[in-house]
């Protein structure tokens, strides 16, 4: 054969892969099928967009974590929420969305779902399950929960809502990013769709985006994966590998960070500059009993309400922090802080938290060093 042909074919037939601890990062858009009949055999992977070895390994591991029949992967956490909703909703349906929902999810509901004829209304995160499901209409197709909410940490009685919704033929979905599939298992509580931003705790290193939706019902898993197919989404094998690598240390990181965060939250509770600490693992939190009943541990994300002061004082607090980085997202190994109030403006059921809110994510740094950092920031707050 001519050299041009030889160069195209050379090295294309690797032998059996050596066994490594992680899955192979298999790259490919085209998948070569063994024979003509296999080209249209939809029972097997015929195109790389469906995912290859690393994506399949991640799906299998996440199904184990969530205790689901299967998992659909999405290019981000937000895509998991929008993709799962698009997979199950149609024009004329209505959704009930918890009012403390992740703000970009709310934006998707307002600006996309409504445009396609899906009605959207919001419920107070602490509304009683009976009243919530009682307000559903015959068109209500789905209830979207987020418990605890990632800014103000209110919780829902997820199991009771799922039970009542089931009785009315309404689907339930839960954004379980805080629980990370580990501290809380929505599918064990009757929820149809357990969704999380893997970007956060599962990835754990603030360097990759991905989301997942898990279900117990195999038909629902098929619906989710068909939804991904229709939208033309896929995740790269490198990112799937990173998520799988993060998953291996998820329990160890969450335990260490959760413990550290609770210690810091307790310390902050006793400070005169603080009006309230929003953290369901604190005994004084209004949702503490729910958290104790349903969760096996606490994540490392919580929010403080500072005593009322000029907005410049909140900025002084944040700017005085040296160990806590100022940045969105959370779930990585490093500590972060943001001010929250601009994100509360779209709420339908505003709540008085006692002062301006600052959300803290506690990483793997030493807790005493982080407390010293917060002490410095509180001094700057008082001085401003
Ligand atoms: C970050 C986040 C998402 C979205 O995840 P991305 O990967 O950033 O799109 C969804 N829900 C919650 C609660 C989040 O914190």
């Amino acid at each position: 054969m001519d050299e041009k042909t030889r160069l195209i074919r050379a090295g294309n037939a690797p032998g059996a892969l050596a066994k490594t601890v992680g899955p192979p990062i298999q790259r490919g858009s085209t998948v070569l099928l063994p024979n003509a009949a296999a080209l249209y055999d939809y029972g097997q992977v015929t195109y790389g967009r469906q995912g290859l070895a690393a994506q399949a390994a991640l799906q299998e591991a996440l199904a184990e974590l969530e205790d689901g029949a299967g998992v659909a992967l999405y290019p981000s956490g937000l895509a998991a929420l929008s993709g799962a909703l698009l997979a199950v909703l149609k024009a004329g349906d209505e959704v009930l969305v918890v009012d403390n929902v992740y703000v970009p999810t709310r934006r998707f509901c307002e600006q996309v779902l409504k445009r396609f004829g899906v009605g959207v209304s919001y419920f107070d995160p602490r509304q009683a399950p009976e009243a919530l499901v009682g307000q559903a209409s015959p068109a209500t197709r789905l209830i979207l929960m987020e418990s605890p909410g990632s800014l103000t940490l209110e919780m829902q009685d997820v199991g009771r809502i799922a039970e009542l919704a089931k009785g009315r033929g309404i689907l339930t979905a839960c954004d379980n990013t805080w629980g990370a599939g580990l501290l809380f298992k929505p599918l064990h509580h009757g929820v149809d769709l357990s969704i999380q931003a893997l970007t956060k705790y599962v990835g754990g290193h603030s360097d990759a985006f991905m989301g997942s939706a898990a279900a117990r019902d195999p038909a629902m898993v098929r619906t989710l994966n068909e939804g991904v197919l229709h939208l033309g989404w896929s995740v790269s094998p490198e990112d799937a590998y990173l998520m799988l690598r993060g998953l291996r240390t998820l329990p160890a990181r969450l335990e260490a960070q959760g413990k550290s965060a609770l210690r810091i939250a307790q310390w902050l509770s006793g400070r005169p500059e603080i009006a309230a600490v929003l953290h369901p693992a604190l005994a004084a939190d209004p949702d503490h009993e729910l958290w104790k009943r349903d969760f096996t541990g606490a994540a490392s994300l919580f929010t403080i309400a500072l005593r009322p002061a000029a907005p410049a004082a909140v900025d002084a607090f944040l700017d005085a922090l040296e160990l806590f980085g100022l940045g969105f997202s959370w779930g990585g190994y490093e500590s972060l802080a943001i001010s929250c109030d601009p994100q509360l403006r779209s709420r339908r059921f505003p709540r008085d938290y006692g002062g301006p809110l600052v959300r803290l994510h506690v990483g793997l740094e030493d807790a005493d060093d982080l407390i010293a950092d917060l002490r410095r920031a509180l001094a700057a707050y008082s001085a401003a």
Side-chain angles (χ1 to χ4, degrees), residues 76 132 176:
S76 71
L132 163 61
N176 189 37

Side-chain angles (χ1 to χ4, degrees), residues 241-316:
Y241 188 97
L242 286 177
M243 292 302 156
L244 199 52
R245 182 158 77 170
L247 190 63
R248 307 307 182 196
T249 56
L250 175 69
R253 283 183 286 109
L254 257 186
E255 192 185 340
Q257 289 177 231
K259 233 187 229 161
S260 209
L262 189 55
R263 227 196 99 201
I264 292 168
Q266 278 158 345
W267 178 79
L268 285 164
S269 301
R271 295 287 311 196
E273 303 90 340
I274 304 284
V277 180
L278 316 180
H279 188 321
L282 292 175
D285 190 272
D287 294 316
H288 183 63
E289 290 306 317
L290 264 184
W291 172 80
K292 220 163 62 179
R293 188 192 73 186
D294 290 348
F295 281 65
T296 56
S300 67
L301 184 84
F302 66 96
T303 294
I304 53 176
L306 292 157
R307 291 214 182 275
V314 179
D315 288 352

Side-chain angles (χ1 to χ4, degrees), residues 273-362:
E273 303 90 340
I274 304 284
V277 180
L278 316 180
H279 188 321
L282 292 175
D285 190 272
D287 294 316
H288 183 63
E289 290 306 317
L290 264 184
W291 172 80
K292 220 163 62 179
R293 188 192 73 186
D294 290 348
F295 281 65
T296 56
S300 67
L301 184 84
F302 66 96
T303 294
I304 53 176
L306 292 157
R307 291 214 182 275
V314 179
D315 288 352
F317 174 91
L318 292 170
D319 290 337
L321 291 167
E322 289 171 12
L323 291 177
F324 284 84
L326 305 187
F328 292 97
S329 199
W330 46 284
Y333 57 81
E334 80 294 1
S335 293
L336 295 169
I338 57 165
S339 51
C340 302
D341 292 70
Q343 295 198 52
L344 304 182
R345 287 184 196 135
S346 55
R347 295 239 171 136
R348 165 91 178 65
F349 302 97
R351 189 174 250 116
D352 179 9
Y353 295 99
L357 299 184
V358 169
R359 186 180 76 182
L360 299 174
H361 172 255
V362 173

Side-chain angles (χ1 to χ4, degrees), residues 74-81 100-105 146-151 175-178 195-200 208-211 243 301 328-330 359:
Y74 302 84
S76 71
L78 181 57
L81 285 146
N100 62 357
V101 74
Y102 180 60
V103 170
T105 303
E146 184 179 316
S147 177
S150 65
L151 278 181
D175 181 338
N176 189 37
T177 303
W178 197 87
I195 302 170
Q196 62 163 317
L198 304 172
T199 308
K200 308 293 165 59
F209 282 102
M210 204 176 294
M243 292 302 156
L301 184 84
F328 292 97
S329 199
W330 46 284
R359 186 180 76 182

Side-chain angles (χ1 to χ4, degrees), residues 21 35 43 125 129 148 164-165 174 178-179 187 190 226 251 260 267 283 350 367 370 372-373:
V21 173
N35 52 49
L164 292 168
C174 188
W178 197 87
L187 302 183
E226 278 166 19
S260 209
W267 178 79
L370 293 174
D373 203 28

